[in-house]
C-alpha cells in the first residue's frame, strides 16, 4: 500500500467532504545536482473545515512518515484555507520516478521522468509526464487506504458523492502542478515564469494533460577560460614586442626584426604558445574531432547542410548559410534561430530531426571505440558544433557512454583551433597535452594541437592529397588507423609519439 500513500491528500478528502471545495497542489522542485523534492498539498474551504473539526486528531500519518514523507499537520494559513501538506525528497532521476509513483500508484500521475544530461559547461534538465484525470474523482479511490488513514473504510462512488453534495463532484476540485527547474525553463506549461511551469487539471475536463518542461544551467567557467586565453595571448604579444625592442637597443647594428602582426576577428585568436619542456610522454587520452572523424556529414565546406537547407525551401546565399551556421556553432544563436535566419520552412524541432537523420557515424568508429575502450583509454571529442545537434546526435548513437567529455564550440564560445577549446579540454580532463593523441580532419586544429605538445594524426578526407613534408601522421579511416594492431600502438604513427600508459 506504500506506493499509493499520497491518496491521503486528495482521495479521501474529496470522498468525505461532499459539497465542499477541496483543491490539490503538487510541487516538483529539481535541484542542480539532479535531486529535489516532491511536495503535495490539499486545501479545504471553511465549509469543509466545519465538516471535519477533529481532522488533526483523526488523521493517521504513521505509514506516510515511515515511507519517508514529512507531513505537516492540518493548519489554517493566511489564505483562510486549511492546508494539509506533505513532502518527500528524491536523490536522482530513478528515485524521482518512485516518488511520483507513490502519489497515486500510477493511476493519475503517469510516466513521469526526470532527465539530466551534462556536457561541457552546460547541464540540461527535463521533466515530463502525464496527468490523466479522465477517470474523474474515482481515479483516486482506495477504500483500504482511507480505512488506514481514518480508521473506517469509505467506499463512496461518484454518484453517491454527487447525491450528498447536490452537484457534480468534479466541478468542486482542481489540481495544480508546478515544476521548478534550477534556471529559466521552457515547455508547454499554461503559465511559465522564469524557472517554473504551472499546469491546472480539472477532472470535469476529461482530458489528458501532458507535462513537459526543460531548462539549461550554464557554467560561466568556459567564458572565463576564453577571456583568460585572450589575455594570455595579449601578454604574449606584449612580451614578444618588449623582447624585440630590448634586442634592438642592445644590438643597434643588427638589422631590425620584422614586426609581429596579429589579425582581429570575431573569434578568440591567441599567439602561439611556448612548447612544453621535454619530459616522459605516455598515452592517456585519445581526442577525436567531431565532423569528419566521429560523424560523416558529407563532403565540402557545408557537407549535407547546404543541400538540406535548399530542400526545405531556403534560398539564402550559401555565404549567409555558412555565416549563420558559424554563429550557431559559437552559441550566439540557437538551432531554431538558425533555421529561421536561413529561411527554412517547417517546425524547428522537425527540421533538426530531419537534418540529423542524414548524418551517419564514420565507418569503423564503433570497432575503434571497442578496442580503445578495451585498452582502458579515455576518448574525448573536440568539435565545432551547434549544441542542440551535438546532444541529439550523441543520444541517437549512444555516444555519451563511450566518449566523454564532449568539448563543444557552442558551449565554450570559441571554435577550433582556438586555444580556448584546448584549454577547456585540458581543464575538463586534467590530462596534460603531451599525453594526448589528437585525431582530426582539420589541419589547422592539428597544427594548434601539435604546438601544445599533442601527438597528431590527420584523418584525411577522401581524395585529399598529402603535401610533401607534411608534419602529421596520415590515415584515411579507422581501419587504417588501427591496422589490426593494438590501439595504443596506433599512437606511434604520430611524429611526436607517446608511450602507451600501463
Amino acid at each position: 500500500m506504500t506506493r499509493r500513500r499520497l491518496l491521503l491528500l486528495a482521495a479521501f478528502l474529496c470522498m468525505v467532504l461532499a459539497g465542499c471545495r477541496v483543491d490539490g497542489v503538487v510541487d516538483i522542485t529539481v535541484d542542480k545536482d539532479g535531486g529535489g523534492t516532491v511536495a503535495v498539498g490539499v486545501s479545504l474551504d471553511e465549509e469543509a473545515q466545519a465538516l471535519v473539526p477533529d481532522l488533526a486528531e483523526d488523521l493517521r500519518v504513521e505509514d506516510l512518515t515511515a515511507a519517508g514523507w514529512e507531513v505537516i499537520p492540518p493548519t489554517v494559513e493566511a489564505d483562510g484555507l486549511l492546508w494539509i501538506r506533505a513532502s518527500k525528497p528524491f536523490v536522482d532521476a530513478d528515485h524521482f520516478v518512485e516518488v511520483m509513483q507513490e502519489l497515486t500508484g500510477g493511476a493519475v500521475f503517469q510516466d513521469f521522468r526526470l532527465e539530466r544530461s551534462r556536457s561541457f559547461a552546460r547541464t540540461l534538465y527535463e521533466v515530463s509526464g502525464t496527468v490523466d484525470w479522465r477517470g474523474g474523482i474515482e481515479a483516486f479511490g482506495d477504500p483500504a487506504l482511507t480505512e488506514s488513514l481514518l480508521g473506517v473504510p469509505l467506499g463512496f462512488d461518484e454518484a453517491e458523492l454527487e447525491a450528498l453534495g447536490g452537484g457534480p463532484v468534479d466541478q468542486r476540485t482542481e489540481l495544480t502542478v508546478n515544476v521548478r527547474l534550477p534556471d529559466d525553463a521552457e515547455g508547454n506549461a499554461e503559465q511559465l515564469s522564469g524557472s517554473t511551469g504551472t499546469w491546472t487539471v480539472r477532472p470535469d475536463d476529461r482530458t489528458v494533460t501532458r507535462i513537459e518542461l526543460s531548462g539549461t544551467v550554464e557554467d560561466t567557467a568556459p567564458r572565463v577560460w576564453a577571456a583568460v586565453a585572450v589575455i594570455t595571448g595579449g601578454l604574449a604579444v606584449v612580451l614578444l614586442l618588449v623582447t624585440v625592442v630590448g634586442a634592438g637597443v642592445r644590438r643597434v647594428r643588427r638589422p631590425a626584426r620584422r614586426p609581429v602582426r596579429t589579425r582581429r576577428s570575431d573569434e578568440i585568436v591567441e599567439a602561439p604558445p611556448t612548447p612544453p619542456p621535454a619530459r616522459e610522454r605516455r598515452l592517456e587520452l585519445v581526442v577525436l574531432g567531431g565532423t569528419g572523424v566521429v560523424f560523416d556529414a558529407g563532403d565540402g565546406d557545408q557537407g549535407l547542410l547546404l543541400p538540406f537547407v535548399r530542400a526545405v525551401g531556403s534560398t539564402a546565399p550559401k555565404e549567409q548559410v555558412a555565416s549563420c551556421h558559424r554563429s550557431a556553432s559559437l552559441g550566439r544563436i540557437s538551432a531554431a534561430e538558425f533555421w529561421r535566419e536561413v529561411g527554412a520552412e517547417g517546425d524547428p524541432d522537425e527540421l533538426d530531426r530531419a537534418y540529423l537523420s542524414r548524418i551517419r557515424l564514420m565507418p569503423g568508429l564503433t570497432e575503434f571505440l571497442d578496442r580503445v575502450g578495451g585498452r582502458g583509454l579515455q576518448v574525448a571529442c573536440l568539435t565545432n558544433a551547434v549544441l542542440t545537434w551535438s546532444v541529439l546526435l550523441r543520444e541517437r548513437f549512444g555516444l555519451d557512454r563511450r566518449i566523454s567529455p564532449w568539448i563543444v564550440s557552442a558551449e565554450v564560445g570559441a571554435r577550433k583551433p582556438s586555444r580556448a577549446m584546448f584549454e577547456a579540454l585540458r581543464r575538463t580532463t586534467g590530462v596534460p597535452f603531451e599525453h594526448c593523441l589528437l585525431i582530426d580532419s582539420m589541419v589547422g586544429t592539428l597544427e594548434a594541437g601539435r604546438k601544445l605538445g599533442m601527438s597528431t594524426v590527420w584523418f584525411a578526407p577522401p581524395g585529399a592529397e598529402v603535401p610533401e613534408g607534411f608534419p602529421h601522421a596520415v590515415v584515411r579511416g579507422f581501419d587504417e588507423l588501427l591496422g589490426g594492431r593494438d590501439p595504443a600502438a596506433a599512437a606511434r604513427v604520430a611524429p611526436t609519439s607517446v608511450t602507451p600508459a600501463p
Side-chain angles (χ1 to χ4, degrees):
M1 195 164 60
T2 300
R3 288 170 59 83
R4 303 188 67 183
R5 289 298 177 203
L6 263 294
L7 290 172
L8 150 72
L9 296 171
F12 86 93
L13 288 174
C14 288
M15 290 190 291
V16 174
L17 305 176
C20 308
R21 183 76 194 182
V22 179
D23 295 319
V25 177
V26 175
D27 290 317
I28 299 170
T29 302
V30 180
D31 299 330
K32 283 188 176 182
D33 62 1
T37 305
V38 175
V40 186
V42 170
S43 66
L44 287 68
D45 63 13
E46 292 183 359
E47 187 176 358
Q49 296 173 39
L51 290 177
V52 285
D54 299 323
L55 181 61
E57 290 76 19
D58 294 339
L59 194 62
R60 301 175 182 177
V61 298
E62 293 83 0
D63 288 344
L64 280 168
T65 55
W69 289 87
E70 179 182 355
V71 181
I72 299 176
T75 305
V76 177
E77 299 184 5
D79 55 8
L81 301 177
L82 178 69
W83 281 91
I84 305 173
R85 299 185 186 275
S87 63
K88 184 173 182 177
F90 57 88
V91 297
D92 56 25
D94 292 336
H95 194 201
F96 169 74
V97 174
E98 296 176 8
V99 174
M100 292 300 296
Q101 282 285 326
E102 293 178 11
L103 292 181
T104 58
V108 177
F109 293 87
Q110 302 175 2
D111 301 322
F112 267 77
R113 296 289 183 269
L114 167 62
E115 299 290 339
R116 176 174 177 258
S117 55
R118 300 187 64 185
S119 55
F120 176 73
R122 185 169 297 189
T123 304
L124 175 66
Y125 302 84
E126 296 177 283
V127 172
S128 62
T130 299
V131 181
D132 187 353
W133 211 343
R134 289 177 297 178
I137 203 67
E138 290 181 342
F140 287 97
D142 190 335
L145 178 64
T146 57
E147 180 177 7
S148 72
L149 292 168
L150 292 175
V152 293
L154 299 174
F156 296 117
D157 60 20
E158 189 167 346
E160 292 173 307
L161 290 175
E162 290 180 359
L164 287 172
V169 176
D170 289 349
Q171 296 178 6
R172 299 194 301 275
T173 185
E174 71 179 24
L175 177 66
T176 301
V177 180
N178 298 310
V179 180
R180 297 181 182 88
L181 298 181
D183 208 335
D184 288 351
E186 59 183 14
N188 66 345
E190 298 171 10
Q191 299 179 30
L192 189 60
S193 177
S195 63
T196 302
T198 299
W199 296 258
T200 301
V201 185
R202 300 174 181 84
D204 58 327
D205 290 342
R206 294 297 194 267
T207 59
V208 175
T209 301
R210 180 66 182 169
I211 307 291
E212 293 182 353
L213 195 71
S214 63
T216 301
V217 174
E218 295 191 6
D219 187 353
T220 58
R223 304 296 187 252
V224 174
W225 299 344
V228 170
V230 172
I231 294 170
T232 302
L235 289 175
V237 172
V238 171
L239 290 173
L240 184 58
L241 289 174
V242 169
T243 302
V244 171
V245 172
V249 171
R250 291 190 301 268
R251 302 175 183 178
V252 179
R253 297 180 181 178
R254 187 169 181 173
R257 299 182 183 181
R258 301 181 78 180
V260 176
R261 300 181 182 273
T262 59
R263 63 183 179 86
R264 298 177 60 86
S265 72
D266 61 349
E267 291 187 37
I268 301 168
V269 180
E270 304 86 6
T274 302
R279 58 180 174 179
E280 181 184 356
R281 304 167 63 86
R282 60 184 182 276
L283 181 57
E284 295 182 3
L285 178 67
V286 178
V287 184
L288 303 179
T291 301
V293 179
V294 173
F295 302 113
D296 183 357
D299 301 329
D301 292 339
Q302 299 187 52
L304 299 172
L305 181 59
L306 185 59
F308 178 80
V309 166
R310 294 285 181 258
V312 293
S314 171
T315 59
K318 66 177 183 179
E319 293 80 11
Q320 180 183 346
V321 175
S323 176
C324 291
H325 179 249
R326 186 184 191 84
S327 293
S329 70
L330 283 166
R332 296 173 183 168
I333 62 174
S334 66
E337 290 170 326
F338 166 79
W339 296 122
R340 184 168 62 250
E341 291 291 332
V342 301
E345 299 174 357
D347 177 76
D349 292 339
E350 293 179 0
L351 290 171
D352 287 342
R353 288 190 289 270
Y355 167 58
L356 297 177
S357 69
R358 302 185 174 198
I359 296 177
R360 298 288 182 267
L361 293 180
M362 275 294 187
L365 172 68
T366 300
E367 293 77 6
F368 174 80
L369 294 177
D370 286 342
R371 297 184 65 183
V372 171
R375 179 69 177 177
L377 291 172
Q378 181 182 1
V379 180
C381 184
L382 193 69
T383 178
N384 291 339
V386 179
L387 182 60
T388 300
W389 298 352
S390 175
V391 171
L392 290 174
L393 283 172
R394 283 142 54 184
E395 291 176 349
R396 173 185 165 195
F397 294 112
L399 292 176
D400 279 327
R401 299 189 303 270
R402 315 186 73 178
I403 301 176
S404 179
W406 290 75
I407 308 302
V408 183
S409 60
E411 292 185 294
V412 179
R415 287 167 51 95
K416 296 186 299 185
S418 168
R419 175 67 182 270
M421 289 286 282
F422 289 94
E423 182 65 12
L425 174 72
R426 185 187 66 80
R427 288 177 179 256
T428 302
T429 63
V431 179
F433 293 127
E434 60 267 29
H435 300 327
C436 299
L437 172 64
L438 176 63
I439 305 172
D440 205 290
S441 60
M442 298 171 57
V443 175
T445 300
L446 297 176
E447 290 293 335
R450 191 165 185 265
K451 290 176 181 178
L452 292 170
M454 289 179 157
S455 297
T456 53
V457 175
W458 186 33
F459 203 92
E465 296 184 1
V466 181
E468 185 177 352
F470 192 63
H472 310 283
V474 180
V475 297
R476 299 186 182 275
F478 284 106
D479 292 339
E480 183 178 338
L481 176 65
L482 291 176
R485 299 168 293 173
D486 183 284
R492 289 192 283 271
V493 302
T496 51
S497 62
V498 295
T499 303

